[in-house]
Amino acid sequence: MSDLVEELLAAGRGLAASGMSPGTSGNVSVRVGDEVRLSASGTSLATLTAEQMDRTTLDGTPVTEGDGPTPRPTKEWPLHLAMYARDPEYRCVVHLHSPSAVAASCLAPWREHTAFAPVTPYVVMRVGNVPLVRYAAPGDPAQAERVRGSALRFHGALLQNHGSIAARRTRPPPGDRAPPHPAAPRARRLLGDRLDARLLTDDEVRELVEAYGQPWG
């Protein structure tokens, strides 16, 4: 089994333990060479095994070995492949239905380029742009095409009235690195429509972007 697969499975257990992937919600994938390994439909990240992962090429062609049955991939596989298509260096993708992300995905975005206002430095330092992708039913290829074709720069996005999708170029993200940063939607809900809430200034945001290199704007 690939080290990348092992690390993804461990990351999935961490996400489930942190409450970011309740029940059988959420799915993960990892790119191994020219293949993508995807968690199977109906599996839990808390107990996911390598044998419960489907294999496909980057264009969606199933990879089979032998005559035995293969796992049925998550219906969100087009979303995963859309993220890999955005950047050939992406190595893993995580799609979650965490309570914070779902709540935030039901709100109007702060700006077109990101749903989250810069209420804390960490939104800019560790997350960057998190655009809100217009609603489509789970598994609908139309939403994957919106992700694939977006001209915005981002590593993660909110799926309207649904949850979040995020990719990483190196290793599977531990629970505290899976965008969107949990503090952002919680802080936004607490602030509500307060017009006097202080946001980071343009100069403060620019300094963080230069220091940490996350996409913004």
Side-chain angles (χ1 to χ4, degrees), residues 130-207:
V130 183
L132 183 69
V133 179
R134 185 160 54 90
Y135 175 79
D140 188 337
Q143 192 168 63
E145 286 306 310
R146 292 170 192 147
V147 169
R148 182 191 302 262
S150 174
L152 295 170
R153 298 173 301 141
F154 60 86
H155 304 305
L158 282 180
L159 309 174
Q160 194 171 44
N161 298 91
H162 187 165
S164 64
I165 186 86
R168 188 160 174 167
R169 289 182 174 137
T170 52
R171 299 296 192 182
D176 66 348
R177 287 297 306 275
H181 195 282
R186 292 174 188 164
R188 183 176 175 185
R189 289 202 305 275
L190 290 172
L191 291 170
D193 295 325
R194 287 281 300 268
L195 298 180
D196 58 342
R198 182 189 185 276
L199 304 182
L200 299 183
T201 67
D202 289 344
D203 287 342
E204 290 167 341
V205 169
R206 190 176 303 111
E207 180 182 0

Side-chain angles (χ1 to χ4, degrees), residues 104-118:
S105 75
C106 299
L107 300 174
W110 177 68
R111 294 285 189 275
E112 180 183 3
H113 69 90
T114 187
F116 300 129

Side-chain angles (χ1 to χ4, degrees), residues 2-41:
S2 164
D3 289 344
L4 283 173
V5 174
E6 290 183 346
E7 291 181 37
L8 184 71
L9 296 175
R13 291 191 291 271
L15 291 167
S18 67
M20 298 181 73
S21 178
T24 58
S25 69
N27 37 77
V28 296
S29 67
V30 61
R31 179 177 176 179
V32 181
D34 294 328
E35 290 184 12
V36 175
R37 312 285 177 89
L38 297 131
S39 54
S41 178

